[in-house]
Amino acid sequence: DSTNTEAKRLLAASAHPEHLSGTLLIADTQTRGRGRGDHTWESPRGTLPFTLILTSVYPAHRRAALPLVIGLALYNALSPLKLANPNARFLLKWPNDLLVVTSSNQASQSGNSPTLIRKKVAGILVESYPLPPNSKQMQTAFIIGIGINLKSDLKDLPPHPSTPPTSLFQEEIHISSKDFLNLFLIALKDIWATFEKKGFSPCREAYLQASQLVGAHVIVTDPQMTHSGQALDVNDDGALILRTETGEITCYTGDLV
């Protein structure tokens, strides 16, 4: 089972689901963890899968920005922690992953730039649950699922074809589940208050800095098609603006390859 699924059960069973805002569900392991689309998220021992329920007046149809907001809170919580490799840093991958990126000391054979090694340390899945009309002004419950490789051994983490996994432990960051959750919830509190009042716009510049996305050549895949081009911006809805050979397009969802 998964913490997101359990959150949906709690909301469905409650006479006043709006009162469940702030509920945090934590698991040691989960057997049916999911990512976006048809992706799965395996959670062996050493990972920390958890779900936070937040009710909001923010409309569900504009939830594309939510994974970016949650990702920024993760980034803000962890980026002050010192990675063992001085050439390593945390980096947000649009729309819902947190990576550890390491620059090689030597330039690539082309001589243009250092080689970058990208490893995934956390993933985010945000789902929405409509609240009944009598739930005061609250329109939606957002089910915020996060899986972070906290203390995982590499041999226990499933391989990934494009972005291999890592864990905070492997990067020599030793932190307990309790301390990590405290850092994350403190970081999220300020960002969430701003997001609810003013939307994603005030968070946008910080996200662009944390993702280093603008100017990069990227490939975006979704179930319908693949787009290739230069990342120009992320708009106030959290969508990626891409310049392709045929013109500019707006990607509200997809996977960066």
Side-chain angles (χ1 to χ4, degrees), residues 10-45:
L10 288 176
L11 288 164
S14 175
H16 297 282
E18 69 276 12
H19 295 167
L20 293 176
S21 188
T23 298
L24 185 65
L25 297 92
I26 306 169
D28 289 328
T29 61
Q30 58 182 13
T31 56
R32 294 183 182 178
R34 294 184 297 111
R36 292 172 51 254
D38 59 356
H39 296 180
T40 59
W41 178 271
E42 296 186 35
S43 303
R45 294 258 174 208

Side-chain angles (χ1 to χ4, degrees), residues 29-180:
T29 61
Q30 58 182 13
T31 56
R32 294 183 182 178
R34 294 184 297 111
R36 292 172 51 254
D38 59 356
H39 296 180
T40 59
W41 178 271
E42 296 186 35
S43 303
R45 294 258 174 208
T47 61
L48 176 63
F50 65 98
T51 294
L52 177 65
I53 299 173
L54 289 176
T55 58
S56 177
V57 296
Y58 199 75
H61 69 272
R62 297 188 65 192
R63 68 180 181 272
L66 271 170
L68 282 65
V69 171
I70 304 305
L72 186 58
L74 273 178
Y75 177 86
N76 289 348
L78 292 175
S79 56
L81 304 181
K82 186 177 180 180
L83 291 160
N85 189 328
N87 296 314
R89 67 188 190 278
F90 289 104
L91 190 76
L92 289 173
K93 178 186 175 185
W94 183 89
N96 64 324
D97 289 340
L98 179 68
L99 310 181
V100 173
V101 177
T102 305
S103 303
S104 66
N105 288 320
Q106 297 179 344
S108 63
Q109 292 182 354
S110 66
N112 292 330
S113 60
T115 302
L116 295 180
I117 301 170
R118 295 174 170 84
K119 295 175 287 185
K120 180 175 176 176
V121 72
I124 300 161
L125 174 65
V126 178
E127 300 178 280
S128 58
Y129 185 94
L131 295 176
N134 63 347
S135 299
K136 299 182 179 179
Q137 293 182 340
M138 298 300 175
Q139 296 182 21
T140 308
F142 291 109
I143 301 168
I144 300 165
I146 297 174
I148 181 165
N149 300 328
L150 210 62
K151 302 177 182 178
S152 316
D153 194 304
L154 287 183
K155 65 180 176 59
D156 297 325
L157 295 172
H160 190 279
S162 62
T163 310
T166 189
S167 67
L168 295 183
F169 175 79
Q170 293 296 323
E171 304 298 329
E172 298 190 25
I173 290 179
H174 305 284
I175 187 171
S176 68
S177 298
K178 180 180 178 181
D179 287 344
F180 163 75

Side-chain angles (χ1 to χ4, degrees), residues 36 39 68 91-99 118 120 160-164 207-208 210-223 225-234 238-242 249 251-257:
R36 292 172 51 254
H39 296 180
L68 282 65
L91 190 76
L92 289 173
K93 178 186 175 185
W94 183 89
N96 64 324
D97 289 340
L98 179 68
L99 310 181
R118 295 174 170 84
K120 180 175 176 176
H160 190 279
S162 62
T163 310
Y207 181 86
L208 292 175
S211 65
Q212 297 290 294
L213 186 58
V214 172
H217 185 275
V218 298
I219 299 172
V220 182
T221 64
D222 62 37
M225 60 192 339
T226 297
H227 307 286
S228 175
Q230 183 184 35
L232 298 179
D233 204 349
V234 172
L240 175 62
I241 311 299
L242 201 64
I249 62 170
C251 302
Y252 286 91
T253 187
D255 292 309
L256 287 190
V257 179

